[in-house]
Amino acid sequence: QKEVEQDPGPLSVPEGAIVSLNCTYSNSAFQYFMWYRQYSRKGPELLMYTYSSGNKEDGRFTAQVDKSSKYISLFIRDSQPSDSATYLCAMIAGSGGYQKVTFGTGTKLQVIP
Amino acid sequence: GAVVSQHPSRVICKSGTSVKIECRSLDFQATTMFWYRQFPKQSLMLMATSNEGSKATYEQGVEKDKFLINHASLTLSTLTVTSAHPEDSSFYICSAAGTAKDTQYFGPGTRLTVL
């Protein structure tokens, strides 16, 4: 079983829709949770970062963490064609000097105009 | 936000040659940099962790003699793929840990094609 599970998609939605992207994890040591956006042939770009259960909002993006269920989500409101990309969840166990990041496989999102 | 650059963005080489990839943090000092490899439709896989002034820490299964990492300054780390083979063709991405050590900022990646 992978430490982090993420549906690879692809996920196609119409412009303006609310998008829900999800990851589950098995390692209870994960404390820090991130969402990255990766456009084709580019490096990942950090979108959201959180370390506590609950919601964190930034513009059209909301990150949700449920540590009891080992489940994290990223919601995108009023989705735009420019949001079309692969979204990677990522997690870190602990905050020591060695910050190994475990990534999900990514969900490919396509927002149709 | 923090900016990380990589050079070159794309390289094509013949089998058996060596390729050097540079990773630079442009507006912050990074004591720790990371090197990842990403195959098509797969997630990023950590290859090694590079600490300035010390030897890199390699992940299990990554050959340290094949993937040479040097982190000579707080803004530059290099990855050299020695005696490259077609199976080394991949997307190589570096990242740098910022002042908030729990986040990483990624470079744009280098696409390596070995013929």
Side-chain angles (χ1 to χ4, degrees):
Chain A
Q1 181 189 9
K2 293 181 181 177
E3 281 190 292
V4 179
E5 298 278 357
Q6 185 175 9
D7 187 336
L11 177 64
S12 292
V13 300
E15 183 175 354
I18 296 175
V19 177
S20 173
L21 303 166
N22 312 294
C23 286
T24 59
Y25 62 96
S26 59
N27 187 350
S28 57
F30 287 134
Q31 297 182 32
Y32 301 88
F33 306 91
M34 294 150 288
W35 285 95
Y36 287 88
R37 176 175 60 195
Q38 185 177 23
Y39 291 109
S40 181
R41 298 174 181 267
K42 301 291 184 182
E45 170 194 0
L46 180 65
L47 282 178
M48 300 285 286
Y49 158 72
T50 184
Y51 57 86
S52 58
S53 285
N55 294 349
K56 181 178 181 179
E57 189 173 317
D58 184 1
R60 295 186 296 112
F61 298 94
T62 300
Q64 188 177 78
V65 174
D66 183 345
K67 289 187 177 181
S68 62
S69 301
K70 297 189 178 67
Y71 187 90
I72 68 170
S73 299
L74 177 70
F75 298 98
I76 307 174
R77 292 184 299 281
D78 187 24
S79 56
Q80 303 294 310
S82 58
D83 295 328
S84 298
T86 295
Y87 290 80
L88 297 147
C89 64
M91 307 179 190
I92 296 177
S95 59
Y98 179 70
Q99 308 110 40
K100 179 177 178 179
V101 181
T102 302
F103 287 89
T105 52
T107 298
K108 188 171 184 179
L109 171 67
Q110 184 177 16
V111 181
I112 303 168
Chain B
V3 179
V4 177
S5 71
Q6 267 183 255
H7 177 79
S9 59
R10 180 176 295 188
V11 58
I12 301 173
C13 69
K14 292 182 178 180
S15 182
T17 61
S18 294
V19 176
K20 179 185 282 189
I21 303 170
E22 292 185 350
C23 177
R24 294 181 185 272
S25 57
L26 297 185
D27 53 2
F28 67 101
Q29 293 184 328
T31 55
T32 305
M33 289 185 173
F34 305 85
W35 287 96
Y36 295 84
R37 182 167 50 184
Q38 187 179 34
F39 291 106
K41 299 187 179 182
Q42 295 186 26
S43 185
L44 287 81
M45 297 299 296
L46 179 66
M47 298 175 66
T49 301
S50 168
N51 292 295
E52 186 265 338
S54 63
K55 291 183 179 180
T57 302
Y58 290 81
E59 292 301 298
Q60 191 173 13
V62 178
E63 299 175 58
K64 62 180 180 181
D65 294 329
K66 180 171 183 62
F67 298 99
L68 301 179
I69 292 173
N70 183 276
H71 192 163
S73 76
L74 288 171
T75 59
L76 173 64
S77 177
T78 60
L79 168 69
T80 301
V81 183
T82 62
S83 186
H85 288 91
E87 57 265 29
D88 298 324
S89 298
S90 186
F91 193 49
Y92 291 86
I93 305 175
C94 72
S95 72
T99 52
K101 288 188 177 293
D102 304 311
T103 60
Q104 294 183 21
Y105 298 94
F106 286 83
T110 297
R111 185 164 299 280
L112 170 64
T113 303
V114 184
L115 302 176

